[in-house]
Amino acid sequence: MSDKSFQPKILAFLCKWCSYAAADLAGVNRLSYPPNITAIKIPCTGKMNPEYIIQAFRQGADGVWISGCHPGTCHYTSGNLIARRRFAVFKNLLEYIGIEPQRVRLSWVGSSEAHRFQEIAQDIVDSITEIGPARKMVKNIIPQSYQGVRKI
Amino acid sequence: MTNHISTQIRQIARELLESKTVKCVIGYKKGTIPMREQICFARSPEQADELIWSGFCVLNQSKFLIGVEEPTAIVAQGCVTRNIIGLIRENRVKRENVHILGINSPGMLDHRKIAAKFPGREIKELWEHEDKIIASGKGFKETFPRKLFKRDNCYTCTHRNPVIYDQMIGEAGPETGGGNIDNTASPWEKKDYDQRWKIFTETFKDCIRCYACRDACPLCYCRECFVDSARPQWCGKTVEEADVHTFHILRAFHCAGRCTDCGACESACPVGIKMRRLTSKIEKDIRKMYGYSPGLKLDARLPLTEFSLNDPEGFIG
Ligand code: SF4
Ligand code: SF4
């Protein structure tokens, strides 16, 4: 996509024990990261539901970022390890049907890693800006075939 | 072939019901139209005579064991026993309540493939004889080989013999269908993302959202399915693309690590959607990444409820 004005919408599901705190810390440290990211606090990546990802795409998000604690540091011992398996399989499935792998990202960011948070956020926004808007899963109230007619 | 096994099933069912060892025998009975066998619940010795065994026993009757409180016998081929193990493992079925009548599956037939051989003509009657099928209707009677008309999943089956059983009906036979299960997913894997999306859309475009696939599947036993949930509404009620896709992606994912590739979903679908395209990809990934195949051991933990410290995580970052 060469559309320079394209600003991706990215939903970030951040674990409240680590990545969400890292986002806070980035703010406190005045590290700027792209405003395209909307942070949503979740209790643990183990609580992250694949339905949320689909729901995000249906409503027009261009990318989804899930971030949790490094393996071994989960507040609930193993939530992130269960999530790792779940999203390995789910991400493969989405890739298999043709959703670009850049659109669903998983990362481990500890609560002190504000710089890492900033870097990954920038990288996600860059890579999604490059591939353009996600239109594959969007729920159209009006079917695509009629949309041309409406525009005149 | 078929007939003497049917006789044996009836005889065993009769004995079990007469001796009151079980309250009900779940098996198959003749459908109202050819090639569409139904599930049969034989509760008395007389009803046991309705039981049959043919190449169209494609539904997965293990679903009906969910919640049974009394001793029940079930006629079960390889994939069905695997689903029974899954249900026992998920605490939906008590092992002591089930009497499994194991049976080798010769590979079940696809009624759609057979009907496609006779366009514009209606098959009124059909017999199986050894490895031949004889179909007849108004003004025709034809014999053709059985092996060309099996269901897709039966070609790639890896467990045709029952994995557990209390009593065996007939002899054990060949264990595999001969095909390679990994190939179900590979045609899509070779394509680029936009082409994949195109064939994915193409594959599911005729879905009418009747949920027969969900209702046929022995894994789908939730009281409230995500598609029926109104708040939050995960999936709209229309047959618009996004809703159909949402339904199929999530249905397949909910079967992750549990689907035994029994093919009941495809057989039940009224429009012939090939949803195994999705489930077999997940099956393959789980087998390759975590070394797990569902429904083989009574004490195995489900792969997605478990973890190992060195699970692959190349995709993270
Ligand atoms: S998803 Fe289909 S193939 Fe898998 S267990 Fe359910 S009915 Fe059988
Ligand atoms: S059975 Fe077929 S038509 Fe019905 S919901 Fe499933 S895929 Fe769609």
Side-chain angles (χ1 to χ4, degrees), chain B residues 26 39 41 59-68 72 74 87 93 215-216 218:
Chain B
I26 306 180
I39 295 200
F41 301 88
L59 295 175
N60 193 325
Q61 70 282 53
S62 63
K63 178 151 199 166
F64 298 97
L65 289 176
I66 296 170
V68 295
T72 306
I74 178 165
L87 290 170
V93 173
D215 293 343

Side-chain angles (χ1 to χ4, degrees), chain B residues 232-296:
Chain B
Q233 195 186 44
W234 300 116
C235 185
K237 305 288 179 198
T238 70
V239 288
E240 208 252 323
E241 265 182 14
D243 288 335
V244 170
H245 294 163
T246 305
F247 167 57
H248 280 287
I249 295 170
L250 293 173
R251 187 196 81 87
F253 188 71
H254 288 178
C255 301
R258 308 158 68 215
C259 169
T260 60
D261 209 22
C262 72
C265 45
E266 282 192 357
S267 299
C269 178
V271 284
I273 305 277
K274 303 251 178 248
M275 49 281 209
R276 279 182 50 259
R277 285 286 143 102
L278 302 183
T279 48
S280 51
K281 163 71 179 165
I282 299 177
E283 191 273 341
K284 175 175 165 186
D285 278 350
I286 290 190
R287 186 159 33 86
K288 298 252 150 106
M289 288 194 285
Y290 312 122
Y292 180 90
S293 290
L296 299 181

Side-chain angles (χ1 to χ4, degrees), chain A residues 19 45 65-69 105-109 116 120, chain B residues 316-317:
Chain A
S19 304
T45 41
W65 175 22
I66 305 159
S67 187
C69 314
R105 285 278 289 262
L106 231 84
S107 67
W108 306 139
V109 177
R116 186 172 150 82
I120 298 181
Chain B
I316 290 177

Side-chain angles (χ1 to χ4, degrees), chain B residues 65-72 84 87-100 166 298:
Chain B
L65 289 176
I66 296 170
V68 295
E69 296 294 344
E70 8 187 73
T72 306
I84 297 174
L87 290 170
I88 296 174
R89 192 65 199 82
E90 292 169 17
N91 292 327
R92 296 297 123 181
V93 173
K94 292 201 189 81
R95 177 69 183 96
E96 59 272 20
N97 283 343
V98 206
H99 185 83
I100 302 169
D166 299 296
L298 273 171

Side-chain angles (χ1 to χ4, degrees), chain B residues 118 121 125 127 133-144:
Chain B
F118 300 100
R121 291 184 287 175
E125 257 184 291
W127 309 268
I133 310 173
I134 304 145
S136 79
K138 204 170 163 205
F140 70 96
K141 181 167 180 179
E142 273 185 49
T143 308
F144 43 93

Side-chain angles (χ1 to χ4, degrees), chain B residues 130-250:
Chain B
E130 282 162 6
D131 53 0
K132 297 255 177 333
I133 310 173
I134 304 145
S136 79
K138 204 170 163 205
F140 70 96
K141 181 167 180 179
E142 273 185 49
T143 308
F144 43 93
R146 191 174 193 286
K147 64 171 189 285
L148 300 179
F149 296 90
K150 286 185 198 166
R151 295 188 302 167
D152 295 347
N153 62 310
C154 290
Y155 286 117
T156 58
C157 176
T158 52
H159 289 83
R160 281 184 171 183
N161 289 311
V163 180
I164 49 166
Y165 57 88
D166 299 296
Q167 200 172 350
M168 189 74 190
I169 296 176
E171 317 260 288
E175 186 70 319
T176 60
N180 180 356
I181 187 159
D182 291 351
N183 291 347
T184 318
S186 50
W188 292 19
E189 284 169 341
K190 294 195 192 98
K191 301 204 167 14
D192 71 22
Y193 296 117
D194 287 335
Q195 282 173 322
R196 287 183 194 184
W197 182 259
K198 213 166 143 231
I199 39 177
F200 169 66
T201 311
E202 189 65 22
T203 307
F204 290 98
K205 76 172 193 314
D206 290 334
C207 174
I208 51 171
R209 296 280 298 280
C210 65
Y211 303 144
C213 47
R214 175 197 71 182
D215 293 343
C217 178
L219 310 172
C220 289
Y221 51 67
C222 295
R223 290 260 169 82
E224 191 188 58
C225 180
F226 74 96
V227 288
D228 298 324
S229 161
R231 207 178 273 184
Q233 195 186 44
W234 300 116
C235 185
K237 305 288 179 198
T238 70
V239 288
E240 208 252 323
E241 265 182 14
D243 288 335
V244 170
H245 294 163
T246 305
F247 167 57
H248 280 287
I249 295 170
L250 293 173

